[in-house]
Amino acid sequence: MAAGLMKNDAFEKLRALLTPALAAALAAEPDLSWDKLQEIRLRVAQPVRLCLAAGERTLPLRWAAALQEQQLRLFLQNSVYAYEEQLKQGFVTLPGGHRVGLVGEAWFADGRLGGFKQLASMNIRLARALPGVAKPFLPYILAGGRVLRTLLAAPPGVGKTTLLRDLVRTLAEGEAGIAPLNIGLADERMEIAAVADGVPQLDVGSRCDVISACGKAQAVMILLRSMGPQVVVTDEVGSREDCQALCAALNAGVAVLASAHGGSREELLARPWLGDLLRQGFFERLLLLKRAGGRLLPAAVYDAGGRALLC
């Protein structure tokens, strides 16, 4: 492979938003491809670091405060107002569905986070749709022609969101061996569908209704009342409100697909609210995920009673 990041249509919109200094540093890296790149971490006064499938790589570019300001302006496309609500939550979603996490010296208005005065760190998380990644997992979440209430769990960076996205697409398009389903997607951080101008930037299927940038609990309740979904989907659940909303979906006869951070069943059981749902048998399937040989695989599968299933 030639040195640096070769052209890849899926990431050209992101490339166009990078500062010239960062773009040049990436282009100078040998044997670096978009397919291997997962995150770009920009910390003021520190070297730029890349998170790759095979580990971390440090670039010979020391990131300065002026570069941080320039990069933020490029990401916001000189329209702070358009991204105001996202900035208050510490992230910005870019064209193509890529998400930039932001932290620094916070300022508050009326007791609520209003944004950051000085931006210390950015984490650019590259989004990618991987059609077909859900197929090996379908036997674990389907039974008797219906979708089982399922929780996907793994540590950060393994691929929970990528899998959840393709499960949504597969179920919405009728590729799961059952009739196509209407999906209600609560995409609080705009990572799953990455809607822009009303259109998902990442493929979640043609029968998926998305609420973006809204708290998961509130979004689930709106979907149940307004859209009549057959399956409700959301990412990174855990709060009391999240868990109560999932129970409301059960009471409405709606299936649930959700994800959470966690490396083991024991770790999840120790969490308040979410652990209670697991003990009560709310989730008919718990899928723990792992990545091996560049592939996303089930690490363990449990039924509603906590019994380990063959995988």
Side-chain angles (χ1 to χ4, degrees):
M1 183 188 301
L5 288 174
M6 299 181 69
K7 183 174 180 178
N8 184 317
D9 290 343
F11 298 99
E12 287 310 298
K13 290 180 180 179
L14 174 60
R15 186 204 295 265
L17 293 176
L18 300 179
T19 66
L22 180 55
L26 290 170
E29 280 297 296
D31 302 319
L32 180 62
S33 73
W34 287 110
D35 291 337
K36 296 177 182 178
L37 186 57
Q38 297 176 343
E39 296 178 350
I40 304 172
R41 290 186 173 263
L42 309 174
R43 301 180 176 101
V44 173
Q46 299 295 331
V48 173
R49 290 192 169 92
L50 311 179
C51 178
L52 307 170
E56 184 182 82
R57 183 183 298 191
T58 300
L59 300 187
L61 171 62
R62 193 171 184 84
W63 200 244
L67 286 173
Q68 194 81 300
E69 293 177 10
Q70 181 186 12
Q71 186 60 81
L72 182 61
R73 287 197 300 271
L74 286 169
F75 283 156
L76 300 182
Q77 300 176 66
N78 295 315
S79 180
V80 174
Y81 177 78
Y83 292 92
E84 184 176 3
E85 289 305 313
Q86 290 187 32
L87 289 169
K88 290 178 182 179
Q89 298 182 59
F91 73 94
V92 171
T93 300
L94 305 178
H98 313 294
R99 181 170 169 267
V100 184
L102 310 167
V103 297
E105 182 184 350
W107 66 271
F108 293 82
D110 298 323
R112 297 181 59 192
L113 179 65
F116 298 98
K117 299 176 186 176
Q118 300 293 330
L119 195 59
S121 301
M122 288 188 191
N123 180 20
I124 307 168
R125 298 180 62 181
L126 277 67
R128 47 175 55 84
L130 297 176
V133 72
K135 187 174 181 180
F137 294 87
L138 293 174
Y140 301 115
I141 72 164
L142 298 174
R146 71 180 186 89
V147 179
L148 301 175
R149 295 185 302 278
T150 301
L151 180 67
L152 311 175
V158 170
K160 298 184 299 297
T161 302
T162 299
L163 175 57
L164 199 62
R165 180 185 302 120
D166 199 48
L167 284 171
V168 171
R169 183 196 64 81
T170 301
L171 293 170
E173 293 302 333
E175 297 178 10
I178 60 176
L181 298 171
N182 291 318
I183 311 293
L185 174 58
D187 193 9
E188 180 177 5
R189 298 193 174 216
M190 303 178 70
E191 288 187 281
I192 305 174
V195 171
D197 298 324
V199 179
Q201 303 299 292
L202 298 165
D203 190 1
V204 288
S206 58
R207 297 173 182 84
C208 182
D209 302 303
V210 186
I211 296 183
S212 301
C214 174
K216 289 182 283 291
Q218 183 178 6
V220 168
M221 298 307 297
I222 293 172
L223 288 165
L224 292 174
R225 289 194 300 264
S226 304
M227 302 309 300
Q230 293 163 288
V231 184
V232 162
V233 180
T234 189
D235 207 2
E236 298 182 13
V237 297
S239 72
R240 177 178 63 181
E241 293 76 16
D242 293 347
C243 294
Q244 288 174 338
L246 297 185
C247 289
L250 171 62
N251 292 335
V254 175
V256 169
L257 290 179
S259 72
H261 291 310
S264 69
R265 184 171 182 271
E266 291 70 28
E267 182 180 338
L268 294 166
L269 285 169
R271 295 177 60 180
W273 313 115
L274 186 60
D276 291 339
L277 288 187
L278 285 167
R279 279 184 287 272
Q280 294 163 11
F282 174 88
F283 291 107
E284 299 167 284
R285 287 290 185 272
L286 168 61
L287 272 66
L288 298 175
L289 309 177
K290 65 179 180 181
R291 187 168 288 279
R295 297 175 58 208
L296 187 61
L297 301 168
V301 182
Y302 298 90
D303 67 10
R307 291 178 289 273
L309 306 177
L310 293 176
C311 64

